[in-house]
Amino acid sequence: MTKVDVLLGLQWGDEGKGKVVDVLTPDYDVVARFQGGPNAGHTLEFDGRKYVLRSIPSGIFQGGKINIIGNGVVIDPILFKEEAVNLAESGHDIVNQLYISKKAHLIMPTHRILDAANEQAKGTGKIGTTGKGIGPAYTDKISRNGLRIGDLLHDFDKKYAAAKLRHENMLRAMNYPYNIAEIEKDWFSALEYLKKFQLIDSEHVVNHFLEDGKKILAEGAQGTMLDVDFGSYPYVTSSNTVCAGCCTGLGVAPRNIGEVYGIFKAYCTRVGGGPFPTEQKNDVGDLMCSRGNEYGSVTGRKRRCGWIDLVALRYAIMIDGVTKLIMMKSDVLDTFDTIRACVAYRINGEEVTRFPFEVADVEIEPIYTEIDGWKTDMGNMKSEDEFPEEFNAYLSFLEEELGVPIVIVSVGPDREQTIVR
């Protein structure tokens, strides 16, 4: 029996997971997404084209591979249809390659409106959601009021009407104006399109593949520091983005988890509100943003940028059980004279190396170590033999601090700009 390898982000998302999944997919038979919704944009660039995936696994570009949207994912039929149609028009075999779990939950039109209403009610304490209805959909799931893909096959109209009425009562209580007539029409049309795909009991299918010796790569969305339990709460997403989320999001037993690939940027970014100890609200952050094109692939929002945070990274590696590290966007730091890395926090005068519970409530002063920059354009490098001495020193420093080998280094956005060590 084979095991499921897991690939996930170790920071606040946007680490470049889609590109790495695409690079690793040739070694696997199946790629499965296990959590999150269409707020997660995985950007891939190859053959002179740019693709943005929201819900469909990034293995879809490698012909002949099975891709599964697992039970832990929430799906907006409208956005799913838009994504799938774009892929089909660009020549990818979507219908035969993509399976969808019957236990995946649906994002309703009223979920989007509730998302906006909840953010407005928070006032200055906004989380900074993408407004895609993710939080309200997961709220319904946990409160046992959700609609699932499998409900399309069992008295769906009645279930939908009851769920919609419940949401409308909530919106009226909040005095929030809304009109869903147009979006609801598109939503039902998209549901019919979704029915063209293979709707499966994914937990049985995944475990059957394992028993059959198939190699499976599980693809996470967002990042560990956005996990609803272990992230910078309440400035987090609504699902479990950590490795354990693969078990609940695909129906995989813990003993069947194999390698855990943890992806991180050579620096750090986050979108929306919440704590960011190493954020650089200055020319350094602006340069990282411009060189890294740090704008959300789904929202277009400018990302906050800062130096790498090893306190948070060590924490993520511990929670996820990471066995191999992958560093992205190394080239963004090519022009810096000095690279800084946060090795500890100072909180109320005390130096700490553990990621704290009260991260969102206290002032954190990052304690930095400085490393010489490499001042070399690495975008055209094809092997680690070409790496500058200073860059190798940065890699060695990170491996020593984190205790896990860095096995892949990305030096640009293209599929070809990926170096295996």
Side-chain angles (χ1 to χ4, degrees):
M1 186 170 183
T2 53
K3 293 183 181 293
V4 175
D5 292 342
V6 184
L7 184 143
L8 35 75
L10 299 181
Q11 296 163 314
W12 281 282
D14 309 310
E15 298 93 349
K17 295 175 289 295
K19 174 189 172 182
V20 178
V21 171
D22 175 64
V23 169
L24 294 178
T25 294
D27 294 330
Y28 293 88
D29 303 298
V30 180
V31 177
R33 170 88 175 268
F34 62 84
Q35 50 74 222
N39 55 338
H42 291 178
T43 303
L44 300 93
E45 294 184 31
F46 51 87
D47 299 334
R49 296 193 61 172
K50 181 177 179 179
Y51 300 88
V52 177
L53 300 181
R54 295 186 178 97
S55 301
I56 296 172
S58 303
I60 201 70
F61 298 105
Q62 302 284 358
K65 308 294 183 177
I66 293 171
N67 290 259
I68 298 174
I69 297 177
N71 59 276
V73 178
V74 289
I75 299 175
D76 182 323
I78 294 175
L79 295 178
F80 171 82
K81 179 182 177 182
E82 177 185 307
E83 183 180 347
V85 167
N86 286 340
L87 286 172
E89 288 177 349
S90 63
H92 297 95
D93 183 7
I94 299 297
V95 173
N96 292 316
Q97 281 186 249
L98 184 64
Y99 299 173
I100 304 173
S101 174
K102 291 179 184 176
K103 289 186 171 67
H105 279 245
L106 285 164
I107 299 173
M108 297 171 53
T110 40
H111 281 139
R112 286 199 199 185
I113 299 167
L114 283 167
D115 205 349
N118 289 334
E119 277 287 88
Q120 179 176 290
K122 289 184 176 73
T124 57
K126 290 180 180 180
I127 300 297
T129 76
T130 59
K132 297 292 191 295
I134 311 297
Y138 275 114
T139 297
D140 274 359
K141 174 178 179 175
I142 299 304
S143 66
R144 297 162 299 203
N145 289 293
L147 282 178
R148 301 187 292 177
I149 293 291
D151 289 328
L152 291 170
L153 311 175
H154 303 280
D155 203 13
F156 182 75
D157 289 344
K158 181 179 178 181
K159 293 176 181 177
Y160 175 79
K164 177 184 174 182
L165 177 62
R166 179 172 169 274
H167 291 166
E168 290 183 317
N169 288 336
M170 294 166 67
L171 290 165
R172 277 192 286 270
M174 298 170 75
N175 292 316
Y176 191 84
Y178 67 94
N179 184 342
I180 65 167
E182 192 62 34
I183 189 174
E184 192 174 42
K185 178 182 176 183
D186 293 341
W187 193 81
F188 275 103
S189 173
L191 277 183
E192 292 303 311
Y193 176 81
L194 193 149
K195 290 178 185 178
K196 293 166 48 177
F197 292 83
Q198 299 181 67
L199 310 183
I200 62 169
D201 295 313
S202 55
E203 64 277 25
H204 292 293
V205 171
V206 167
N207 281 284
H208 174 72
F209 282 148
L210 291 176
E211 292 167 1
D212 227 20
K214 301 290 187 186
K215 295 184 66 178
I216 300 177
L217 179 64
E219 175 184 12
Q222 289 92 28
T224 296
M225 302 312 298
L226 291 176
D227 183 87
V228 69
D229 282 293
F230 298 105
S232 51
Y233 192 89
Y235 300 94
V236 293
T237 193
S238 300
S239 60
N240 284 116
T241 61
V242 296
C243 185
C246 174
C247 296
T248 56
L250 289 177
V252 175
R255 67 181 180 184
N256 292 330
I257 299 295
E259 298 285 0
V260 181
Y261 293 95
I263 304 183
F264 68 100
K265 287 177 181 174
Y267 51 106
C268 203
T269 65
R270 82 171 294 171
V271 173
F276 186 177
T278 63
E279 183 176 9
Q280 299 296 298
K281 299 179 180 179
N282 50 33
D283 291 344
V284 169
D286 290 341
L287 183 57
M288 290 175 176
C289 182
S290 62
R291 286 186 56 81
N293 190 29
E294 294 295 355
Y295 298 90
S297 51
V298 168
T299 64
R301 287 188 295 179
K302 181 179 180 180
R303 297 175 185 140
R304 301 155 62 191
C305 297
W307 296 114
I308 196 167
D309 185 338
L310 301 185
V311 177
L313 260 184
R314 285 191 292 261
Y315 176 75
I317 288 167
M318 175 187 72
I319 295 295
D320 292 317
V322 173
T323 60
K324 295 181 178 180
L325 288 170
I326 299 170
M327 187 165 81
M328 309 298 290
K329 291 198 167 183
S330 308
D331 55 301
V332 172
L333 302 183
D334 283 353
T335 63
F336 287 87
D337 293 320
T338 302
I339 310 300
R340 305 184 85 191
C342 173
V343 294
Y345 296 157
R346 186 172 286 113
I347 302 174
N348 297 325
E350 180 184 357
E351 185 174 319
V352 300
T353 56
R354 289 188 175 187
F355 192 78
F357 168 84
E358 62 273 22
V359 63
D361 301 312
V362 296
E363 185 174 337
I364 295 176
E365 178 191 348
I367 299 173
Y368 289 108
T369 288
E370 294 190 347
I371 302 101
D372 289 338
W374 42 93
K375 302 286 287 183
T376 304
D377 183 355
M378 298 205 302
N380 294 318
M381 292 183 182
K382 302 298 182 185
S383 75
E384 65 174 322
D385 295 336
E386 301 175 70
F387 287 167
E389 181 181 336
E390 294 82 1
F391 183 69
N392 282 324
Y394 185 51
L395 291 176
S396 296
F397 167 77
L398 292 176
E399 288 181 324
E400 184 175 344
E401 285 285 326
L402 301 173
V404 182
I406 298 172
V407 298
I408 295 176
V409 173
S410 174
V411 294
D414 194 270
R415 170 193 279 172
E416 302 301 320
Q417 294 173 296
T418 311
I419 297 173
V420 179
R421 301 177 72 210

